[in-house]
Amino acid sequence: MNKREVLFPGSSGELLAGRLELPAGPVVATALFAHCFTCGKDSVAASRISRELAARGVAVLRFDFTGLGRSGGDFADTTFTSNVADLVCATEYLRDTIGGPSMLIGHSLGGAAVLAAANLIPEAKAVVTIGAPADTAHVEHLLGSSRAEIEAHGVAEVVLAGRPFRISREFLTDIRQQNQQERIAGLRRALLVMHSQQDELVGVENARLIYDSARHPKSFVSLDGADHLLTDRADAAYVAEVLAAWVSRYLDIPHDAGGEPGVVTVAETGMGTFQQSVTLGRHQLIADEPRSFGGADTGLGPFDLLLAGLGACTSMTVRMYADSKQLPLEQVTVSLRMKGKDTILKDLVLSGDLTAEQREKLHEIADKCPVHRTLTGDLTIETATP
């Protein structure tokens, strides 16, 4: 995977700063990500989801709306309508480079924005909302007592998520005039609604309203335990994994997307010191080091993966033999751990009404699994030279 910093003109003529996340191999689909209100393209959710999709062959553009992050313009001059127009501008940039977005993803108010923009983007086949409000006027409650000052003076400075933002009267008027229910009913795209019951900013009842207003095909996924901003990286990773699996049904992503069949590709994700994306075709997982080794403990470590490979192969081999001989084997459990740097301790538990002779044979077969034989044989590793 690789990232490309991009600039393109927004709806007000100011340059918008974006980041295009590209897969290592062929681009099989293109997505556009809209971040949450007052956030930016580099939020945990936006970054994580973009990388997960890129690992599956999907190019993702995420950008800062006008007046936010590194984009030009004044946030006080923006409205919900101008944010939707910025999404259309981002679409035009994608059309001119790698192709229009077949998927729109929006977080929080960004979710409301992609619902509003969808029918302006004919290439879009699927729409995903994460913690999105059903009604744009929902944002007003974040402004608290500042609403009166905005109405009286035309603009006021409001502190949101610990940062000051200038909000205009035009913004308030605009969000009150949006008819989201009508837009959702006429979406004519596959829709995935993702929301947490514990969302402290946008209640989960918003997900129900969006889902009920939409027509099929539509899906709902509960993000139980997650906060609104998906600040826990594990929650953001879960969203990305589920989203990628769901959207493959609608974007015709080939099963071997993500790399050459039979070739495992390991690449740094840029998240933390050691985190790695491990990809084989459409399969992907995360590797990392434990915190005691300076990692973030977001995935299995290198030796954990080695043990997992041996354990899986052992269990599969035993199962294959038992089934071929019609043995009453109910379940195989393999526990492995490292002893020092050169010894693997393997504990094989066989459940079922097996005779002592059958158990002995299965233990013998377990040590003949292909991975076991490879590790204990004359294994050669050749490193390609540039």
Side-chain angles (χ1 to χ4, degrees):
M1 295 174 286
N2 58 83
K3 291 177 286 190
R4 184 186 302 170
E5 305 298 324
V6 302
L7 292 171
F8 56 90
S11 58
S12 65
E14 300 282 354
L15 287 179
L16 303 183
R19 180 166 292 139
L20 185 58
E21 203 93 30
L22 293 165
V27 175
V28 300
T30 306
L32 179 59
F33 192 104
H35 61 71
C36 56
F37 183 51
T38 72
C39 293
K41 67 180 184 300
D42 297 319
S43 67
V44 171
S47 302
R48 182 67 191 174
I49 291 168
S50 298
R51 289 176 182 135
E52 290 286 346
L53 288 173
R56 290 162 171 79
V58 180
V60 185
L61 173 63
R62 44 192 165 104
F63 69 97
D64 295 320
F65 283 111
T66 299
L68 293 173
R70 296 187 178 182
S71 289
D74 188 343
F75 184 75
D77 295 331
T78 66
T79 62
F80 180 79
T81 297
S82 70
N83 285 346
V84 173
D86 281 348
L87 284 170
V88 174
C89 291
T91 295
E92 292 171 355
Y93 170 79
L94 284 173
R95 286 193 190 115
D96 293 339
T97 52
I98 61 175
S102 49
M103 172 171 49
L104 305 177
I105 309 167
H107 184 200
S108 192
L109 192 62
V114 297
L115 288 170
N119 284 332
L120 302 175
I121 304 173
E123 301 95 328
K125 297 180 181 179
V127 177
V128 180
T129 66
I130 306 164
D135 181 358
T136 53
H138 182 278
V139 176
E140 284 195 59
H141 86 280
L142 298 176
L143 308 179
S145 59
S146 298
R147 282 183 292 179
E149 184 180 353
I150 295 170
E151 296 284 11
H153 301 288
V155 66
E157 187 171 279
V158 182
V159 176
L160 300 170
R163 295 185 297 159
F165 294 91
R166 294 175 67 240
I167 307 293
S168 69
R169 183 190 297 129
E170 288 73 23
F171 179 86
L172 289 181
T173 301
D174 186 65
I175 60 175
R176 292 166 181 166
Q177 294 176 343
Q178 305 298 322
N179 191 341
Q180 285 294 92
Q181 186 173 5
E182 182 178 335
R183 286 167 170 161
I184 297 167
L187 193 60
R188 298 192 300 277
R189 272 105 174 139
L191 173 65
L192 173 61
V193 180
M194 310 183 84
H195 216 113
S196 169
Q197 295 95 318
Q198 292 79 27
D199 194 320
E200 70 284 3
L201 292 180
V202 182
V204 72
E205 66 275 6
N206 286 270
R208 180 184 60 79
L209 292 171
I210 294 172
Y211 186 87
D212 288 347
S213 297
R215 297 173 181 171
H216 287 287
K218 58 183 178 179
S219 304
F220 171 74
V221 172
S222 171
L223 306 179
D224 190 36
D227 61 20
H228 180 71
L229 294 178
L230 301 179
T231 50
D232 188 325
R233 295 185 188 278
D235 291 328
Y238 174 74
V239 168
E241 291 165 6
V242 173
L243 189 160
W246 173 85
V247 81
S248 63
R249 177 178 293 272
Y250 303 101
L251 299 191
D252 299 323
I253 297 176
H255 289 307
D256 60 350
E260 181 182 344
V263 176
V264 174
T265 301
V266 181
E268 292 182 314
T269 67
M271 303 284 282
T273 305
F274 297 117
Q275 192 185 78
Q276 309 288 318
S277 170
V278 184
T279 306
L280 172 60
R282 64 187 179 93
H283 304 292
Q284 196 252 1
L285 55 84
I286 293 297
D288 203 345
E289 289 284 11
R291 297 185 188 279
S292 58
F293 277 64
D297 197 27
T298 58
L300 297 178
F303 279 99
D304 301 328
L305 292 168
L306 175 68
L307 296 179
L310 175 58
C313 186
T314 299
S315 181
M316 293 173 185
T317 301
V318 170
R319 170 54 61 190
M320 186 182 301
Y321 179 85
D323 287 353
S324 69
K325 300 297 183 180
Q326 297 184 330
L327 301 181
L329 176 64
E330 295 178 0
Q331 185 180 36
V332 184
T333 303
V334 187
S335 299
L336 306 100
R337 65 182 185 278
M338 294 297 302
K339 181 181 179 181
K341 296 182 179 180
D342 54 9
T343 301
I344 296 176
L345 299 180
K346 183 173 65 175
D347 184 21
L348 182 64
V349 177
L350 306 173
S351 301
D353 189 17
L354 299 162
T355 66
E357 183 180 357
Q358 289 170 336
R359 290 180 182 278
E360 183 179 352
K361 184 62 178 180
L362 290 174
H363 274 269
E364 178 186 332
I365 292 297
D367 289 343
K368 295 181 179 180
C369 85
V371 172
H372 185 121
R373 295 170 67 178
T374 298
L375 291 174
T376 56
D378 297 324
L379 178 65
T380 300
I381 300 175
E382 298 180 357
T383 301
T385 54

